[in-house]
Amino acid sequence: MQAPAPVTPPRTQALPSGLTSAEARGRLQQFGPNSVEETRAHPWRAFVGRFWAPIPWLLEATIILQLFLGERVEAAVIAGLLVVNAVLSYLQEGRAQKALALLRQQLHVEARVRRDGTWTTLPAEALVPGDVVHLRQGGIVPADVRLFEGTLLADQSALTGESAAVALEPGKTAYAGAMLRGGEATGEVTGTGTRTFFGKAAELVRTAGAANRQEREIVGVVRNLFVVNAGMVVIVAGYAHQAGMSLGYILPLLLTILLASIPVALPATFTLAAALGSVELSRRGVLVTRLSALHDIAAMTVLCSDKTGTLTRNEATVTAVWPLAGTSETEVVRAAALASDPAGLDPVDGAIVKAARARGCRLEEYERVGFKPFDPATKRAEAIYREGAGAHRYLKGAPAVIAGLTPAPASAWEPGMATLVAGGQRVVAVATGEEDQLRLLGLVGLADAVRDDSQAVVATLRAAGVRTVMVTGDNPLTARSVAQQVGITGGVCPPAQVHGEVTGAALDCGVFAGVFPEDKFKLVRAFQRRGEVVGMCGDGVNDAPALRQAEAGVAMANATDVAKAAAALVLTQPGLGDVAPAIATSRRVFQRIITYTLNMLVKKIEMMALLVIGFLLTGHKPLTPLLMVLILFLNDFLTMSIATDRMACSPRPNRWNTRGILLAAVGLAVGKLVFSLGVFVYAHDRLGLDMRHLQTLMFASLILSSQAGVYLLRERGHFWRSCPSRFLVLSSVIGLGVTALLATVGVLMPAIAPALLLGVAGVGLAYFTLLDWFKVAVFERLDLR
């Protein structure tokens, strides 16, 4: 964005000559450029970093072990899966970042600066502390500037959260990034780069961050699985030692047990489920910049929402008119509009003119002969119109100032002002008359208009178990008024606690007003210490540190670049309307992940137990390492299609019920083990199958059991309550078809009779239908929903 055409500011008093070029170069070396660097990892480092995490470490250790044992094919399969997972997550998050870059407005800010005693135009990056700069209406403040001449009307809503423009007089500081709505002033640069108000918030963003809850829970689940695996290895090794078996004989079985316990497809499935959820959200205009954020949104219990531009439109609106006796509301609004500039940038003028036109006022019929825009020094605006042979004045501004120009007593307007202020409104007084005969007409109340959908969104979130609180830099009266309009419950947190450590009952408040950027950051951490999963919605620089600290940071459509870079989700449609669908989609993704985790645990425990018990009963290996690798392909890979399944949305925030998941997995694994072990014992004792044909039968039975488990576990109620996705059904047909082909034709294994396979399938269908009733009871008992 280019600065306005260069001007030489008017001089009403002697101005400092500014810095010399040599002084500026020295300070540029000392303080650095006037910019905030956004640290980005090199693409290769970002990609390689995806191999450095607990789950990838587990798979990498497995690859090394298999290479040591000469199992090169199996090692290559797992290595390929690792690479696929890394590429998938890298590309998906990369697409979101590219889309985000397209949304960003590239601003090129220039500044009018006094160097070597003359005024010149320089890029904002070249400013240093001590520079003398000139600011005027329509520009952007390029650095923190302390004014020493003139006045400004600055829109600092993106920085401080205050919706109303702020009047700045000599001695006050204009913050970097503020939009100038009126006035003209000269001042000295006091802060650049990270030393500005803007830069300090950006530095706080750099140090913020929340823990990855999903990874922590998955590591805990896998750790427990390995404890079970280690116990079974000890049992087998102890039995083999007692039976005098050689290490060479028992080692393939131990490797098979190890392979049975490793969730090789788990990282890829989680990434695939999140990526598909991300694509679904992108169609709604929601960009996911960090895939793991979908888990956090599903678990979110508290949403900290900014007010300005999030719950409100960030535009002034006439919300009330208080006419004095003998005056109508339309007269007050028309007079206020005549004292405004329809072509100006002042948002108050625009709101009043819009309200007047909505009431049918034809302002173009009046001939204006003079206009003085709002001056922060006099706190009023004035227009003069030709009426008949004379001139008529129209004034608006601060109530005390305008009323002081008229004979109206305080009792005529102070009650109205108190009522409007109590409603969180900004109050403007209006007067009109001849040169020295002004008459106070009334008061106009303005407020930042609440978005049409905000109340419905807050209600929807409450129904979904998410509590919404307002966190704003605006004053408590305005914040409380907006909270009441949108349905946010709870009191206003006392200012003393807002700026300190918010603890205890203060966290039950619904409104936190007058907060600074570091207060928002600390508030998010306070909620997190209480065990909440925190979402943060915002659009300004002042929201960025809290957006980064929250588990689920959501940047609004009109957010600054800093806020978008700090958030995990970026909305492209105005308002909070897409937050509820994002929660619903995230919860469906979470349910898919829980279903896969349950299925994986049940399957692993069943196979490990079958391998150990079968070995203890017969002294032979129920499966060979080759058959286990085939199961890896036909089970682990194909059950990744769970990531595409239809899932119901949970009515409450999702949490990892690790204890419940493990207990349910053990119980259902025992139930499935009854089937697979029953087939093993019956075929060995009653049918008299030799060990090689028995291994083929167990290979097919475990595939059948695994596929049945997918449909058993995809519903928390009975499995027939909903239809699976087409892709899930297709993957099952492929898996079972390939299994039947390999087992009956005899590819890579001895062939078995098709009739035997059909018999096992029929018994399995009846058995798993009965097992579904047991599953429902277990889920209800362990509160798994």
Side-chain angles (χ1 to χ4, degrees):
M1 175 177 175
Q2 298 291 336
V7 296
T8 300
R11 296 185 60 175
T12 58
Q13 59 181 18
L15 293 177
S17 61
L19 303 176
T20 65
S21 296
E23 289 174 325
R25 283 194 296 270
R27 297 193 184 190
L28 188 62
Q29 290 183 338
Q30 178 183 357
F31 297 105
N34 179 32
S35 61
V36 179
E37 294 294 331
E38 183 180 347
T39 57
R40 289 183 177 273
H42 189 278
W44 277 110
R45 171 175 282 187
F47 178 72
V48 172
R50 298 174 191 278
F51 296 93
W52 190 255
I55 299 298
W57 293 341
L58 174 64
L59 301 187
E60 289 155 8
T62 304
I63 293 170
I64 294 172
L65 177 61
Q66 288 182 319
L67 290 174
F68 178 76
L69 296 174
E71 305 287 347
R72 292 183 176 84
V73 175
E74 292 86 342
V77 169
I78 297 176
L81 193 59
L82 257 179
V83 173
V84 167
N85 174 63
V87 170
L88 183 63
S89 60
Y90 179 80
L91 291 179
Q92 184 59 38
E93 292 185 5
R95 288 193 193 99
Q97 291 294 343
K98 288 178 182 177
L100 182 58
L102 291 176
L103 293 175
R104 292 176 178 168
Q105 296 179 347
Q106 298 299 321
L107 297 179
H108 179 62
V109 180
E110 293 185 339
R112 192 73 173 151
V113 58
R114 191 174 175 85
R115 290 274 178 89
D116 298 316
T118 61
W119 290 100
T120 185
T121 301
L122 294 176
E125 292 81 2
L127 294 182
V128 295
D131 266 329
V132 174
V133 296
H134 182 68
L135 308 172
R136 67 170 181 158
Q137 178 178 345
I140 299 175
V141 181
D144 283 1
V145 179
R146 186 176 60 248
L147 307 184
F148 51 69
E149 182 185 74
T151 58
L152 292 171
L153 193 64
D155 180 355
Q156 301 181 149
S157 59
L159 302 171
T160 64
E162 292 182 270
S163 56
V166 178
L168 301 177
E169 301 172 346
K172 293 189 175 181
T173 298
Y175 293 130
M179 300 291 295
L180 298 179
R181 301 299 188 189
E184 194 166 354
T186 305
E188 179 182 350
V189 173
T190 58
T192 59
T194 57
R195 296 172 181 83
T196 63
F197 183 95
F198 174 102
K200 291 173 184 175
E203 181 65 15
L204 196 55
V205 169
R206 188 185 66 82
T207 60
N212 190 325
R213 292 172 176 264
Q214 177 172 283
E215 184 174 277
R216 185 175 65 235
E217 297 293 345
I218 288 300
V219 169
V221 169
V222 174
R223 182 177 61 244
N224 288 320
L225 186 62
F226 259 65
V227 169
V228 175
N229 175 265
M232 292 185 176
V233 167
V234 169
I235 292 172
V236 171
Y239 175 83
H241 178 73
Q242 290 289 345
M245 298 178 182
S246 66
L247 180 62
Y249 179 80
I250 200 65
L251 192 59
L253 177 61
L254 296 178
L255 176 60
T256 305
I257 295 174
L258 177 63
L259 284 173
S261 68
I262 296 174
V264 292
L266 185 144
T269 304
F270 280 23
T271 300
L272 178 62
L276 292 175
S278 174
V279 170
E280 180 182 341
L281 286 175
S282 69
R283 297 192 186 105
R284 297 189 60 96
V286 179
L287 300 179
V288 180
T289 64
R290 177 171 53 84
L291 291 181
S292 61
L294 289 177
H295 166 267
D296 297 321
I297 293 172
M300 183 169 63
T301 57
V302 172
L303 178 65
C304 297
S305 175
D306 183 37
K307 176 185 72 68
T308 307
T310 304
L311 294 169
T312 66
R313 296 181 181 277
N314 194 20
E315 61 181 44
T317 303
V318 174
T319 54
V321 181
W322 186 284
L324 267 64
T327 307
S328 69
E329 291 188 4
T330 300
E331 287 181 274
V332 174
V333 174
R334 180 175 59 245
L338 291 172
S340 304
D341 184 6
L345 297 177
D346 191 328
V348 172
D349 284 6
I352 292 175
V353 169
K354 182 178 179 181
R357 295 193 189 282
R359 292 171 179 263
C361 299
R362 302 175 64 85
L363 305 179
E364 61 276 4
E365 295 178 352
Y366 294 82
E367 182 185 354
R368 190 171 72 182
V369 295
F371 181 73
K372 294 180 181 179
F374 181 82
D375 185 347
T378 61
K379 293 183 171 55
R380 72 174 190 252
E382 179 179 352
I384 301 175
Y385 289 82
R386 191 185 311 281
E387 292 188 6
H392 205 79
R393 299 171 65 194
Y394 293 89
L395 297 88
K396 75 175 193 305
V401 172
I402 299 299
L405 300 175
T406 72
S411 59
W413 59 272
E414 282 187 344
M417 180 175 174
T419 300
L420 295 177
V421 169
Q425 299 177 69
R426 179 181 180 182
V427 183
V428 174
V430 185
T432 186
E434 305 302 330
E435 184 65 28
D436 296 320
Q437 299 177 355
L438 294 176
R439 179 170 63 93
L440 185 64
L441 298 180
L443 307 174
V444 175
L446 299 102
D448 186 4
V450 170
R451 296 192 60 83
D452 296 337
D453 60 348
S454 292
Q455 185 176 11
V457 171
V458 171
T460 301
L461 294 178
R462 185 184 301 113
V466 179
R467 174 177 164 236
T468 304
V469 300
M470 182 194 296
V471 185
T472 177
D474 219 333
N475 66 78
L477 286 175
T478 301
R480 182 175 61 185
S481 174
V482 172
Q484 291 172 346
Q485 293 178 64
V486 301
I488 292 177
T489 58
V492 179
C493 183
Q497 285 191 279
V498 167
H499 302 307
E501 287 297 325
V502 184
T503 57
L507 290 174
D508 295 326
C509 292
V511 177
F512 299 85
V515 301
F516 300 130
E518 57 270 24
D519 296 329
K520 295 187 177 186
F521 175 78
K522 289 189 293 185
L523 180 63
V524 169
R525 295 187 66 177
F527 276 121
Q528 289 170 335
R529 283 194 296 269
R530 196 168 76 166
E532 307 281 3
V533 179
V534 184
M536 175 71 198
C537 289
D539 60 354
V541 173
N542 61 320
D543 300 318
L547 286 170
R548 177 60 60 86
Q549 178 62 32
E551 285 90 349
V554 182
M556 309 308 294
N558 59 337
T560 62
D561 287 351
V562 173
K564 289 177 180 177
L569 263 71
V570 178
L571 307 183
T572 59
Q573 300 297 323
L576 286 174
D578 284 332
V579 171
I583 292 174
T585 298
S586 299
R587 290 182 182 180
R588 283 193 292 270
V589 170
F590 186 91
Q591 290 300 320
R592 292 172 188 136
I593 289 174
I594 291 296
T595 297
Y596 180 83
T597 304
L598 268 169
N599 185 71
M600 179 268 296
L601 288 172
V602 170
K603 180 173 57 183
K604 299 299 183 185
I605 295 172
E606 176 196 9
M607 284 195 293
M608 288 189 294
L610 177 64
L611 291 171
V612 172
I613 296 174
F615 176 75
L616 296 178
L617 290 177
T618 65
H620 297 288
K621 302 181 285 291
L623 288 173
T624 64
L626 176 60
L627 292 178
M628 183 55 67
V629 172
L630 287 175
I631 290 176
L632 180 79
F633 271 106
L634 295 173
N635 265 350
D636 288 29
F637 292 170
L638 288 176
T639 52
M640 288 174 62
S641 58
I642 290 174
T644 70
D645 195 18
R646 298 187 182 98
M647 286 286 171
C649 175
S650 172
R652 65 185 185 187
N654 295 127
R655 289 290 188 100
W656 276 91
N657 181 359
T658 305
R659 177 179 175 275
I661 290 172
L662 290 172
L663 290 176
V666 170
L668 292 170
V670 170
K672 291 182 66 180
L673 182 63
V674 170
F675 169 75
S676 55
L677 192 60
V679 172
F680 180 82
V681 172
Y682 183 82
H684 181 269
D685 295 345
R686 299 293 297 274
L687 299 182
L689 291 183
D690 63 77
M691 186 50 59
R692 295 193 64 217
H693 286 85
L694 183 58
Q695 288 172 340
T696 300
L697 180 62
M698 294 317 301
F699 159 76
S701 298
L702 285 173
I703 296 290
L704 175 65
S705 174
S706 175
Q707 289 298 319
V710 170
Y711 294 92
L712 199 71
L713 296 171
R714 61 173 297 274
E715 264 287 354
R716 304 300 176 255
H718 291 294
F719 70 84
W720 55 80
R721 282 177 48 179
S722 65
C723 295
S725 68
R726 293 180 181 179
F727 193 74
L728 179 59
V729 173
L730 178 62
S731 69
S732 296
V733 170
I734 293 173
L736 293 174
V738 172
T739 299
L741 181 67
L742 295 177
T744 56
V745 175
V747 180
L748 301 177
M749 64 194 77
I752 58 175
L756 178 59
L757 200 58
L758 286 173
V760 171
V763 172
L765 180 62
Y767 179 80
F768 285 110
T769 301
L770 293 174
L771 188 62
D772 186 69
W773 294 89
F774 173 70
K775 175 211 70 178
V776 172
V778 169
F779 281 2
E780 288 181 353
R781 181 67 181 270
L782 297 174
D783 196 26
L784 289 176
R785 301 177 185 176

